[in-house]
Structure formats: C-alpha cells, structure tokens
Amino acid sequence: AYVINAPCIGTKNGACASVCPMDCIHPKPGTPDFDRVDQLFINPDECIDCYACVEECPVDAITYHGQQPAEWDEYPEKNRNYFLT
Ligand code: SF4
C-alpha cells in the first residue's frame, strides 16, 4: 500500500482522493472530518498500488510503504490508525 507522509500536513490538496479508483483516501474535502485532520490518509487494506495518487500529489507526499525516508517512518502507522478510529 501507499502512504501519505508529512508534506500533506498543511497542504491537504485532495487531488489524490479524486483520482483514487478504490476511493480509499480519506477524509474527503468537504466532509466534517476534513477540517479536523492535519493530513489525508490511505487505507492500507484497500489500496491496490495503482500509483494514480502518487502522480497527482503536488507536494510529493506519497511513498510506498517501507520505502519512505527515515524521518517519515511513523506515517504508515499514522495512515492505518485513521481507519481504526
Ligand atoms: Fe488509491 Fe491507487 Fe493511491 Fe492506492 S495507489 S491510494 S489505490 S490511488
């Protein structure tokens, strides 16, 4: 699965969510949760690794799980945790 990392914080562009064929990037712009969170998240159980969101992100926030730079090591768990709440 792909993971959304730190550059999304304060950006929340949302273009990724629009192109995801699995509709697995949340929260969606325009929903109550969108204003509550600091970034968007990918549901690792639904992502099919299609790469569409990676190309769409204007701040290059999305990496493949396990291939992120060391300073983003907590983001795979942060993404997963969003869907556990
Ligand atoms: Fe959605 Fe594809 Fe990105 Fe996975 S890689 S989150 S399926 S757009």
Side-chain angles (χ1 to χ4, degrees), residues 1-2 16 19-25 42-43 46-54 62:
Y2 280 83
C16 55
V19 299
C20 177
M22 297 301 288
D23 200 24
C24 66
I25 303 178
I42 293 172
N43 186 332
E46 297 180 356
C47 174
I48 58 168
D49 301 341
C50 77
Y51 202 73
C53 59
V54 180
I62 306 176

Side-chain angles (χ1 to χ4, degrees), residues 3 5-6 68-79 81:
V3 172
N5 301 285
Q68 71 277 6
E71 67 265 31
W72 294 345
D73 274 352
E74 77 268 31
Y75 284 86
E77 187 179 3
K78 187 180 179 187
N79 277 243
N81 283 346

